[in-house]
Amino acid sequence: MARALLAGAIAATEAVALEFQLRMMKIRAATETDHDAVWNIFHETIAPGDTYALDPKMSREEALAYWFRADTHTYVAEKEGRVVGTYILKSNQLGPGSHVANAAFMVRSDAQGSGVGGRMAEHCLDEARRMGFRAMQFNFVVSTNVPAIHLWEQLGFKIAGTLPAAFHHPQKGYVDVYVMYRSLLT
Amino acid sequence: MARALLAGAIAATEAVALEFQLRMMKIRAATETDHDAVWNIFHETIAPGDTYALDPKMSREEALAYWFRADTHTYVAEKEGRVVGTYILKSNQLGPGSHVANAAFMVRSDAQGSGVGGRMAEHCLDEARRMGFRAMQFNFVVSTNVPAIHLWEQLGFKIAGTLPAAFHHPQKGYVDVYVMYRSLLT
């Protein structure tokens, strides 16, 4: 009993610590001074080739051109003055499809599992609503990326479709991809 | 009976005439000399804003830059020396997603219903197979575009997902969009 109480107390302390850490996190628009930090996160995210449909050998120049495109809003998450994550938000389509947002998220490997992704995603949903988007769509969620799928489901996204064998995973071969979608009106 | 036979004979004659017309159609890689014809078809296709997630007011320059991108294969369908349709074929995603093709088709308004779209689509599937693509995906088939959906289903595509209210139709308001997909291995 004492043991269980102690375990509870420790869990509560950890939750408070995580809460505190997240509160200490600042999410802001990225600037040119963030290019080095963003490129480091981008590179370590795409190099294994297991989550993004991007060339794992993409150069720094190509990566920054993609992540900081003129039609794209780019953000960074900062903790204790250090960039621990980055995300982009843009229209998924043009013209009569431009009311649906699209976003992509990357978290520094040594900050994963600490709530950075979830916090950025909530910030992103708020930003998208503020900009007047009516829905958000992820076009390409690799089915083996279980933590991401769980996070999106927690945040109200549903699997709108399955693309059979649409991703070539370096270890698992051809695997399915999900299109995920949620309304921003509710 | 005689009437039914006659109707059959007329239908058969029409089928032969269509077959002949389609055989007279030539599909080839587009060149710079096709820019005027392609722009005319592109413009009349997107101007109503009811099928493509493109800005209906897109300029000629933007349209041609989009349709003739470096990573895109652009084709035209020619009948009696006149361009009656155009399509593009490219990778839908990069890197580990680059084995899935994407395509888009436009047919001159006065050539619609004459089999040009179907003929271009078959050509496109052959080209995609020849280039080694393993599947083809249409990201954004507006649910009100019934002729297109029928054609893709006839050609083996299935609705892989539904994007609720992802298209703002000028007459019908927010309508669903389908993601359509087919393997090229079978």
Side-chain angles (χ1 to χ4, degrees):
Chain A
M1 179 68 183
R3 208 174 211 169
L5 272 175
L6 189 60
I10 289 171
T13 309
E14 279 171 355
V16 170
L18 181 61
E19 178 70 29
F20 182 73
Q21 270 184 36
L22 287 176
R23 265 197 234 137
M24 298 302 291
M25 197 165 78
K26 186 183 159 189
I27 299 176
R28 58 168 175 80
T31 69
E32 222 179 298
T33 60
D34 299 311
H35 278 190
D36 282 348
V38 167
W39 161 242
N40 287 338
I41 297 173
F42 192 100
H43 182 63
E44 68 172 3
T45 303
I46 67 160
D50 58 352
T51 53
Y52 270 88
L54 293 170
D55 179 359
K57 294 196 172 67
M58 215 169 172
S59 72
R60 177 190 153 107
E61 197 185 357
E62 289 167 325
L64 292 175
Y66 168 72
W67 207 249
F68 284 85
R69 256 171 51 172
D71 62 0
T72 297
H73 303 272
T74 311
Y75 301 83
V76 289
E78 212 175 39
K79 213 185 311 193
E80 293 163 9
R82 186 162 153 268
V83 172
V84 290
T86 179
Y87 83 86
I88 56 173
L89 171 62
K90 59 190 177 70
S91 289
N92 196 43
Q93 299 283 348
L94 303 172
S98 62
H99 58 285
V100 179
N102 171 247
F105 302 82
M106 295 183 175
V107 177
R108 248 186 95 107
S109 55
D110 61 5
Q112 269 163 26
S114 70
V116 177
R119 183 70 186 281
M120 287 199 300
E122 281 169 8
H123 187 273
C124 176
L125 289 168
D126 288 344
E127 284 288 276
R129 277 197 194 90
R130 190 178 62 77
M131 292 173 190
F133 285 110
R134 300 170 62 93
M136 189 175 289
Q137 180 176 336
F138 300 138
N139 301 306
F140 209 85
V141 184
V142 181
S143 59
T144 51
N145 192 358
V146 176
I149 296 161
H150 280 175
L151 179 55
W152 307 145
E153 283 178 340
Q154 273 172 15
L155 291 168
F157 286 83
K158 290 208 159 53
I159 293 174
T162 301
L163 312 170
F167 188 78
H168 193 212
H169 191 285
Q171 286 85 41
K172 296 172 185 171
Y174 291 101
V175 298
D176 293 352
V177 170
Y178 300 135
V179 177
M180 299 189 77
Y181 197 89
R182 72 155 287 175
S183 169
L184 298 177
L185 304 180
T186 52
Chain B
M1 179 67 184
R3 208 174 211 169
L5 271 176
L6 188 61
I10 290 170
T13 308
E14 278 171 357
V16 169
L18 182 60
E19 178 70 30
F20 181 73
Q21 269 184 38
L22 287 176
R23 265 197 231 138
M24 299 301 292
M25 196 165 79
K26 185 182 160 189
I27 300 176
R28 58 167 176 80
T31 69
E32 222 179 299
T33 59
D34 300 310
H35 278 190
D36 282 347
V38 167
W39 162 243
N40 287 338
I41 297 173
F42 192 100
H43 181 63
E44 68 171 2
T45 303
I46 68 161
D50 58 351
T51 54
Y52 271 87
L54 293 170
D55 180 359
K57 293 197 174 66
M58 214 169 172
S59 72
R60 177 190 153 108
E61 197 185 356
E62 290 167 325
L64 292 175
Y66 168 72
W67 207 250
F68 284 85
R69 255 171 53 173
D71 63 359
T72 297
H73 303 272
T74 311
Y75 301 83
V76 288
E78 212 176 39
K79 213 184 315 195
E80 294 162 8
R82 186 159 152 270
V83 173
V84 290
T86 180
Y87 83 86
I88 55 172
L89 171 61
K90 60 188 177 68
S91 290
N92 196 42
Q93 299 283 348
L94 304 171
S98 61
H99 58 285
V100 179
N102 172 247
F105 301 83
M106 294 181 176
V107 176
R108 251 186 94 107
S109 56
D110 62 6
Q112 268 163 27
S114 70
V116 176
R119 183 70 187 280
M120 287 199 299
E122 281 170 7
H123 187 273
C124 176
L125 289 168
D126 288 344
E127 284 288 276
R129 279 197 191 90
R130 189 178 64 76
M131 292 174 190
F133 285 111
R134 300 170 62 93
M136 188 175 289
Q137 180 176 337
F138 301 139
N139 300 305
F140 209 84
V141 183
V142 180
S143 61
T144 51
N145 191 359
V146 176
I149 296 162
H150 280 175
L151 179 56
W152 306 146
E153 284 178 337
Q154 273 172 14
L155 291 168
F157 286 82
K158 291 210 159 51
I159 292 174
T162 301
L163 311 171
F167 188 79
H168 193 212
H169 191 285
Q171 286 84 40
K172 297 173 184 171
Y174 291 101
V175 297
D176 293 352
V177 170
Y178 300 134
V179 178
M180 298 190 76
Y181 197 89
R182 70 155 288 177
S183 170
L184 297 177
L185 304 180
T186 50

